[in-house]
Amino acid sequence: MKQNKIKWAGNILALAALWFLIDFFRKLQIDFQILCSAKMLAGVCAGTILSFASVLLSAWAWKNTAAFFAEKQIPFRAAAKVYLQANLGKYLPGNIVHFVERSLFASKAGIGHTETAIGTFLEIAGLVFAAVFFGMVLSFRDVCAIVRTFFSVPYAVGITGLLMIGIAVLWMLYKKLAWVRILCKKIKQAAFLRMVCLNMLLYLAALFLLAVLMCLLVGLLNGTAPTLPQARMIMSVYVLSWAAGFVIPGAPGGIGVRELVITYLSRNQPIQEVMLLAMVVHRICTVFGDIFAYLYAKSGLLL
């Protein structure tokens, strides 16, 4: 009975996410004639595959974390099925529903709530760190511009306050609860550091695939491959816009936020209009990739 309720809840949330996506694209009033050429259709198909691969890499990292803290082997198939099914929930308002869905599906797959929660927390931290690191390697100036423009003093004070509260709560829990002390002991192990380093590589690879897709789409829409400096700029702008959309609460799937950041960071670039159009097509590719990932997980064909 409980598994049936989880299944129905997951299906309802997936349908709700699809409805929000359809409504969002309807409001954009996209001229889909730009996708009618053979080159653009091939680009969208390639983008869907790259997006799907990116989600699989993130699922692998999440599985590593859950398995480490559970102290048992978790099959990739089981973890990926949980991750891919829940992934559509990020398009619902609030941008946190996919984390809730993970907890629902994980319990059905025999993965504990504690491991699920820790895996989600470390995933958020790891993805943000990977995006900032990637962005700083490509363009430190753009990172500074994002910080100055989008992260005001009140925002910084709020984040600092939340961190202080979180540290205080963790300290109290550490003193009172034995399982928290056990978790802290695990974090001190060398195996934890190895797992974190592997996950960081997976997150960097996932972001790299999405950034490469952005370069590919700009080249297709512009009619010529971007130069090396342009490719570096495109990848930097995309990764930083992705990070902003990921950390700013309330934006379903980062919708709207990423486009705003790209507009700001590419304001002095001659290919700004092409980049904005490429971002729309990129969004289509990632949505198709997430839908394909969901259907793939539901089909039971996961390796």
Side-chain angles (χ1 to χ4, degrees):
M1 181 64 71
K2 182 179 179 180
Q3 290 189 352
N4 286 334
K5 289 181 179 179
I6 293 174
K7 181 179 179 180
W8 276 104
N11 290 335
I12 290 171
L13 289 172
L15 289 173
L18 287 173
W19 185 88
F20 273 99
L21 282 172
I22 293 170
D23 186 60
F24 170 75
F25 283 115
R26 180 183 61 81
K27 290 177 180 177
L28 282 182
Q29 297 181 344
I30 299 172
D31 183 5
F32 285 97
Q33 288 185 350
I34 63 173
L35 305 178
C36 290
S37 68
K39 287 196 303 183
M40 286 307 302
L41 285 175
V44 171
C45 290
T48 300
I49 295 170
L50 287 174
S51 176
F52 175 60
S54 177
V55 176
L56 282 180
L57 289 170
S58 295
W60 183 5
W62 182 76
K63 187 272 296 184
N64 290 342
T65 306
F68 174 81
F69 284 99
E71 295 184 333
K72 66 178 183 180
Q73 290 294 324
I74 296 178
F76 176 74
R77 175 174 180 162
K81 185 174 182 180
V82 170
Y83 193 97
L84 299 183
Q85 285 187 97
N87 199 44
L88 274 187
K90 67 185 179 184
Y91 294 107
L92 290 169
N95 202 20
I96 60 170
V97 177
H98 52 308
F99 299 138
V100 177
E101 284 190 82
R102 265 187 225 170
S103 184
L104 290 174
F105 293 134
S107 62
K108 181 181 176 182
I111 303 173
H113 290 294
T114 301
E115 292 78 25
T116 302
I118 295 173
T120 296
F121 175 79
L122 291 180
E123 176 187 62
I124 294 171
L127 281 169
V128 171
F129 182 84
V132 173
F133 176 79
F134 200 176
M136 290 179 69
V137 170
L138 294 171
S139 177
F140 182 75
R141 183 181 61 183
D142 285 344
V143 175
C144 294
I146 286 289
V147 172
R148 287 196 305 268
T149 305
F150 293 95
F151 295 92
S152 60
V153 173
Y155 188 89
V157 171
I159 292 295
T160 303
L162 287 174
L163 285 174
M164 296 297 291
I165 293 172
I167 291 171
V169 171
L170 285 175
W171 178 252
M172 288 188 293
L173 292 175
Y174 180 84
K175 288 293 186 180
K176 293 185 177 182
L177 299 176
W179 66 269
V180 176
R181 292 192 290 274
I182 294 173
L183 288 178
C184 292
K185 187 176 180 180
K186 290 180 180 180
I187 291 173
K188 296 177 181 179
Q189 298 175 7
F192 175 78
L193 181 60
R194 290 195 296 269
M195 182 268 295
V196 169
C197 290
L198 173 58
N199 285 357
M200 285 302 302
L201 292 175
L202 293 172
Y203 292 139
L204 286 169
L207 290 174
F208 178 76
L209 290 179
L210 296 177
V212 166
L213 172 59
M214 187 68 176
C215 288
L216 171 66
L217 294 175
V218 169
L220 288 174
L221 291 168
N222 203 33
T224 180
T227 63
L228 187 59
Q230 283 180 330
R232 183 172 180 174
M233 180 273 298
I234 292 167
M235 295 177 75
S236 169
V237 169
Y238 174 77
V239 169
L240 293 176
S241 69
W242 182 93
F246 186 74
V247 300
I248 293 177
I255 291 174
V257 176
R258 294 175 188 171
E259 289 76 6
L260 176 63
V261 174
I262 287 179
T263 301
Y264 175 74
L265 291 179
S266 64
R267 63 194 183 281
N268 297 322
Q269 298 294 331
I271 59 171
Q272 184 193 51
E273 291 186 4
V274 177
M275 288 181 63
L276 289 172
L277 182 57
M279 187 63 226
V280 175
V281 182
H282 193 288
R283 174 72 67 181
I284 293 172
C285 293
T286 54
V287 168
F288 284 172
D290 289 335
I291 293 174
F292 177 74
Y294 174 81
L295 295 175
Y296 188 64
K298 294 289 286 185
S299 70
L301 296 176
L302 281 167
L303 297 177

